[in-house]
Structure formats: C-alpha cells, structure tokens
Amino acid sequence: QVQLVESGGGLVQAGGSLRLSCAASGRTFSSYAMGWFRQAPGKEREFVAYIRWSDGYRYYADSVKGRFTISRANAQNTVYLQMNSLKPEDTAVYYCAACDKYWSTYTIPGSYNYWGQGTQVTVSS
C-alpha cells in the first residue's frame, strides 16, 4: 500500500504564500505523475497542477498559472506546491494524488489511484 501525507496548509491573508508538501511512503512504486487537486465546500474536486515523473513536465490549471509552482524531489518521492499571490477563491482542501500507470491526461481525478488525506488552505480577504 502507498500512503501520501500532505502538510503545509493553514490560514494566510490574501496576497500571501504557502508551500504544500506531499510525501509518498509504503511499498515501492513507480510514479508516472503526481498532482494536486482542491475542493471547496459545495464544489467538485478540481485540478490544480501535475508533474510528470519521467521528464518533469508540468501542467497547471488556468486559475493558478503564474501563481503556483509544482516541483518534486525524486529521491524522497515528494512533491511540492508553492502557492504565491493567494486569493480568497483559493480557499479549499488541497489533495495530493499519485498515479502509477500511463494515462493520456492527468488533469482528472480518475487518472490517480492514490490520494492523500487533504490539507486545509484558507485565504482571508
């Protein structure tokens, strides 16, 4: 079994920054991609960003492009999400996800087979 553990959420004022971390542990697995999703109250889970493990390719949702940066630490099987210029509409529970097989897209929840427990990010105005 693979476990994903997120950390780094919290309360921040609009315009501030937070850095989320997600560490994978458990049985050895080869990740094709790791991503971040978020879910606000009453809304569906939405894609934020993913990074492809083979070549480091990164892709972002339009809503976070230019403000958020996804990165990785290969040796630690860890992925990060640096969030700058935060807005109140970024408030949500943020989930880390990992995928160990090839898919044509990594922007939908169904492409991922491992999920973290989520970490709350609250941006005050």
Side-chain angles (χ1 to χ4, degrees), residues 49-125:
Y50 80 78
I51 185 165
R52 199 163 56 199
W53 227 246
S54 60
D55 58 5
Y57 173 80
R58 310 171 193 190
Y59 187 79
Y60 299 91
D62 287 343
S63 59
V64 306
K65 202 172 296 182
R67 299 189 297 122
F68 291 11
T69 302
I70 189 170
S71 61
R72 61 182 179 174
N74 285 16
Q76 292 80 34
N77 240 5
T78 299
V79 67
Y80 305 97
L81 186 69
Q82 177 66 43
M83 305 185 294
N84 298 329
S85 302
L86 282 161
K87 305 175 182 180
E89 51 263 44
D90 294 318
T91 295
V93 177
Y94 283 69
Y95 295 91
C96 171
C99 168
D100 61 3
K101 57 187 69 173
Y102 171 80
W103 292 100
S104 59
T105 179
Y106 296 107
T107 63
I108 58 175
S111 294
Y112 296 84
N113 46 335
Y114 302 108
W115 289 87
Q117 80 286 353
T119 185
Q120 177 70 46
V121 171
T122 302
V123 184
S124 63
S125 57

Side-chain angles (χ1 to χ4, degrees), residues 25-43:
S25 63
R27 67 169 179 85
T28 302
F29 80 109
S30 297
S31 177
Y32 273 72
M34 291 187 74
W36 289 95
F37 288 75
R38 65 187 182 186
Q39 189 166 18
K43 294 189 176 181

